[in-house]
Amino acid sequence: MIHRYQLPLKVALALTLAVVSALWLGWEKPYWAAFSVVVMAVTESSGHSLKKGRHRIIGTFFGILVAFILVGLFAQSPVELLTIYCLFCAVCVYQQTNLKNGYAWSICMMVATLVMVMGGFSSEQLFTIAVLRIQETILGVVCFSLVFSLLWPASSRVLLLRTLHSYYQQQAQLISSVIDDLAQTGQLPKEYSLGNSIKRLSRLDDLIQAAMADSYELGSTAKQWQQLLQLQNQWALICGHLYEATRSLNQALTHSQCDEIRELMERLRQRAVDAAMLLENQLSPDEASFSEVSNIVQAKPVRLIDAEHYAHQSHGALRMLANTLNQMDVHQQNMQICLHNVFGAAQELVLTPARHVVAAKRPLINIDAEQAINAFKVSIMLLISIVLWLYVPLPGGPMIMIFGGTFGAVVLSIPFASTRSLLFYMLGWALVALVQYVFVLPHLTEAWQLGAFYFINTFVIWSVFNQPQHIFHRLLGTMNLVLMTNSAMRLTPTYDIQYALLLLLLFSIGMLVIFFVNHGVFSGNPERALLRQLGHFRRSLQACLQDQIHGQKLPWLSFISRRPVREVAMAETAIGAINWPAFPQLDRIQAEKLISQLYRICLHYHAFVDSYRQWQAHDFNSAIDNLIQRELVQMVLLFNNSMIGSDAKQYSTRLNQLQQSLQYYLAGLEPHSPLQLALSQQQADHCYQLIISLQILIESLQQLLNETKVSELECLRLSPFTI
């Protein structure tokens, strides 16, 4: 119960300290410092908060620099000034989704706009506003850091360790179920993947970056953590090969083979359990337990399954399985050793050499389509806001640019944010603030009374709306409280409700501009965004396959992403935001199955590319390579058309033809066949694995086609346009 009120107390205290300190220092706009505290408080952990605070200061400095440059160079040329300003805002919006420094770009745009507008596009006032903005921003960051460091500090390191601990626990449970299935059926189950972490890798990267911001221990072992992240990526890739091996295995395992595989799986399970224990000891330190786990890690040698034991088998499926399991055995021990080194082993252990994974080539400049769409939308919002400012006699003048353009960039940075809901939230919280502004604030005459007013209100907002889904209420409630009552924070307080009502009017007009642009130009409705993301996924996978074709030059500039996993993640987010009762003919469960299939395709694609590169480096054969190239060309041509709609039958026919062609070559790799006799045993095994890998990728596409037919996603094209 006490834990529930810790965060509200810290936020209320930090905000009050920022406001009172600004008044004590004689600064004119304390609400800017309060805004810094609120924005940092809605982050996930203290590391994220410190990172956001650092980016807020950096973005403030660069935003002020841009404002000085624009006004200094183009103060007498309004057309050039507004044109370059719109281009600058488009670049900032394009970059704001960057996980590492996107927030700095967002603040840069916001501060540049704010300084120019509040400075009246005049060099004299610009400097005063810029200095005040820097002062208030730094004050807010300092107050937040001071309070959150002294009162119940919550390190991002703990969140990172808990995430890893949960992962290793789940992995141990999954391996246990595999061992049970192997004991009951004598076969490895085909429909599982120990590499189901492909969705978690970006999350783990974000947590590591955040934890390094507030943990000296993690910062001093940054190299080992990055090495662990790289091993996690490679682990997911090897698990993709495991699926290929189990999928190609069409004969029963003997008792001795089952025992050998079970022994290896038991080692994998034990390592996962030991890693979970090591992380648990870090979460609640116990020296005795740490020594015990350390001994377990050091005492476990790597014992490879003898692949030559299977040399008499009729084809390379068992050898492929044995080689893959051996790689998993080595790789998981490397992950455990790396984790052990991260936490300061007495003597740093050396990783067992593993095969090298070749990095994928990418275009020099890769323009993300969805980010470019958002940049285009913001440009239109700004142009409309500028037209309203210049040609409509609105009170407040250029302030409409802040609400129509800058706030539009914030809305676009929130995936599938409901403009209507945001407007209602804003108006509702503004009404609450205005009631207190009229009936309470005029009776407060001392600075401590004003501080108590903000402390109580902030504490109540953050205490009542304490669930993750209430984040908009916490953010908008606190910001409205500060914004609508900001005249009471001045050195000479004034109480004029007309200014607050003017802000509400401008905000409402800005929200209408945002709504019509966001839903009228490349609609931001989640159902339309889902279809668009599926199209981005298709083109992304097509570009990735095209890059594997010989003689295909990699463009230096591309508007197609080479990260299909990211497109799938955005599509998954869109599915969660769709109002499914509005589409009774569709089934959300089927749509979620479609997303799961897309993740599997990503895993199988990366496994195929890895097999292809390893095969080209060590066991190249021109006949097999010609086959792979023909298949890739046909797949690239096939991806020119969408899987959703009338082309589904054509897709199915062409995929079946590709499957038959691969099956013909697989038969040629059987013992005593002409192709197999021309190859060594190792070459035949690797060729077999490569063809199986491509065959599984095509089968995944066939399954995706079936899921698309069942889900009937083409109905989403008929989504209504409503306010």
Side-chain angles (χ1 to χ4, degrees), residues 414-446:
I414 306 171
F416 314 114
S418 172
T419 311
R420 181 177 60 181
S421 298
L422 289 177
L423 178 59
F424 288 160
Y425 293 162
M426 190 76 176
L427 295 177
W429 282 111
L431 179 61
V432 173
L434 287 177
V435 169
Q436 298 183 80
Y437 181 70
V438 172
F439 296 104
V440 178
L441 274 177
H443 301 287
L444 306 181
T445 58
E446 302 292 336

Side-chain angles (χ1 to χ4, degrees), residues 71-85:
V71 174
L73 296 178
F74 305 103
Q76 304 302 320
S77 305
V79 176
E80 289 85 347
L81 171 63
L82 296 176
T83 301
I84 296 177
Y85 166 71

